[in-house]
């Protein structure tokens, strides 16, 4: 009985979705209510590119062209991130995994969890049509200071092109332009089915209609995360 009380549940939320589906926005909201940190492969890569680290130098070209960065370097970066202290109770994954080999790598990370811990995995897939995704990417504006994300059509800042929080000039992401954004969306379509099957068979997966308001999508995510996760004894 004492043993039971000492068990710790490590909660992992995997949010799958195409470019522009709202992963970043929704994961940040979810992080506020769950107190779990967001681990975003895209943010990790962009901050390394900004800081001109070795990883940044390897990734810069692929990110600019909208192509996936190699599995080896991305997996290593994710492993290093989830080993940090703030991920001990769990984390929310945004943009990872993107390939079967990344999904398998994630499974291998579970094995390093101590025997006293249990793993609770919730997998959500945000579903939207391509046309909506591309419109969202075109309209996205990001604050370079605090990373708040706006949309000029559906979620505009109070003052044109200025962040509501710190009045910084909002920026357009380089890979949100024309052909690159189309490539990102079509590449996602080609690869996502096998990732969804992988998770469906292991933990179950919930598809969420991502084309609604930020608030409504968040409510669906909260319902999945609180009610629908699978607890697996390692
Ligand atoms: P990222 O950074 O992972 P993507 O392409 O997966 O990039 P992206 O573009 O960051 O995803 P998102 O996070 O899904 O999109 O969307 P978002 O920013 O939250 O929202 C988009 C817009 O919609 C915003 O304007 C927002 O206001 C609005 N919005 C959001 N949610 C809602 C909602 O619920 N309702 C409404 N109405 N509006 C909403 O990856 C970038 C690159 O890094 C590399 C690759 O090169 C990739 O191209 N990379 C990897 N490479 C290999 N493996 C990996 N695992 C990699 N991860 C990243
Ligand atoms: Mg994002």
């Amino acid at each position: 009985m004492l043993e039971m009380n000492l068990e710790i549940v490590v909660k992992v939320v995997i949010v799958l979705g195409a470019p522009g589906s709202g992963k970043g926005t929704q994961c940040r909201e979810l992080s506020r209510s769950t107190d779990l940190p967001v681990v975003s492969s895209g943010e990790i890569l962009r901050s390394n590119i900004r800081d001109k680290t070795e990883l940044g130098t390897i990734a810069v070209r692929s990110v600019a062209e909208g192509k996936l960065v190699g599995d080896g370097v991305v997996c290593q970066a994710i492993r290093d991130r989830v080993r940090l202290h703030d991920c001990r109770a769990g984390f929310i994954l945004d943009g990872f995994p993107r390939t079967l080999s990344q999904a398998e790598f994630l499974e291998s990370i579970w094995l390093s969890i101590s025997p006293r811990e249990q793993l609770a995995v919730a997998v959500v897939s945000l579903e939207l049509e391509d046309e909506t995704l591309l419109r969202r990417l075109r309209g996205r504006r990001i604050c370079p200071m605090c990373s708040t994300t706006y949309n000029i059509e559906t979620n505009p800042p109070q003052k044109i092109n200025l962040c509501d929080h710190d009045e910084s000039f909002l920026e357009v992401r380089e890979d949100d332009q024309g052909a690159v954004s189309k490539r990102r969306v079509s590449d996602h379509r080609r690869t996502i089915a096998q990732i969804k099957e992988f998770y469906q068979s292991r933990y179950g997966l919930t598809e969420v209609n991502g084309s609604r308001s930020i608030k409504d999508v968040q409510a669906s995510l909260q319902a999945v995360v609180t009610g629908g996760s699978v607890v697996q004894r390692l």
Side-chain angles (χ1 to χ4, degrees), residues 119-136:
L119 185 64
V121 182
V123 189
V124 182
S125 173
L126 298 174
E127 302 291 327
L128 289 91
E129 302 208 332
D130 286 8
E131 207 180 300
T132 316
L133 295 168
L134 293 170
R135 210 170 53 240
R136 285 222 190 143

Side-chain angles (χ1 to χ4, degrees), residues 24-34 38 214 218 222:
T25 304
Q26 296 295 343
C27 288
R28 273 192 296 275
E29 289 284 318
L30 202 57
S31 172
R32 282 188 203 112
S33 58
T34 58
V38 178
I214 293 177
Q218 183 60 206
Q222 294 274 359

Side-chain angles (χ1 to χ4, degrees), residues 66-227:
K67 295 178 184 164
L68 290 185
V69 176
D71 286 335
V73 281
V74 177
C75 288
Q76 199 180 326
I78 292 292
R79 190 195 51 208
D80 292 348
R81 176 66 189 88
V82 303
R83 279 183 178 168
L84 297 182
H85 188 78
D86 66 329
C87 290
R88 277 187 57 184
F91 45 89
I92 302 167
L93 281 169
D94 161 8
F96 187 94
R98 292 270 241 275
T99 64
L100 264 189
S101 131
Q102 291 180 11
E104 276 154 10
F105 179 83
L106 196 57
E107 297 291 302
S108 75
I109 292 182
W110 304 155
L111 299 175
S112 62
I113 290 176
S114 97
R116 276 220 343 263
E117 294 170 322
Q118 282 194 342
L119 185 64
V121 182
V123 189
V124 182
S125 173
L126 298 174
E127 302 291 327
L128 289 91
E129 302 208 332
D130 286 8
E131 207 180 300
T132 316
L133 295 168
L134 293 170
R135 210 170 53 240
R136 285 222 190 143
L137 293 175
R138 273 197 303 274
R140 174 163 58 184
R141 300 290 182 271
I142 300 169
C143 173
M145 287 295 285
C146 68
S147 299
T148 301
T149 302
Y150 300 88
N151 191 284
I152 53 171
E153 280 184 29
T154 55
N155 182 26
Q158 283 160 14
K159 293 184 193 164
I160 294 174
N161 229 20
L162 294 180
C163 178
D164 292 348
H165 305 292
D166 50 42
E167 300 229 326
S168 300
F169 276 105
L170 301 180
E171 292 181 349
V172 174
R173 233 169 77 178
E174 197 189 349
D175 57 347
D176 280 353
Q177 312 295 311
V180 174
S181 59
K182 283 190 187 137
R183 163 189 271 166
R184 287 163 56 212
V185 171
S186 62
D187 284 358
H188 168 85
R189 290 280 176 236
R190 271 194 289 105
T191 52
I192 191 61
Q194 51 180 359
I195 310 276
K196 283 170 71 176
E197 270 166 37
F198 180 94
Y199 284 115
Q200 183 67 60
S201 62
R202 273 178 169 71
Y203 308 108
L205 171 150
T206 307
E207 291 188 339
V208 166
N209 173 1
S211 64
R212 297 167 295 155
S213 70
I214 293 177
K215 207 169 142 217
D216 287 352
V217 175
Q218 183 60 206
S220 298
L221 248 73
Q222 294 274 359
V224 176
V225 169
T226 47

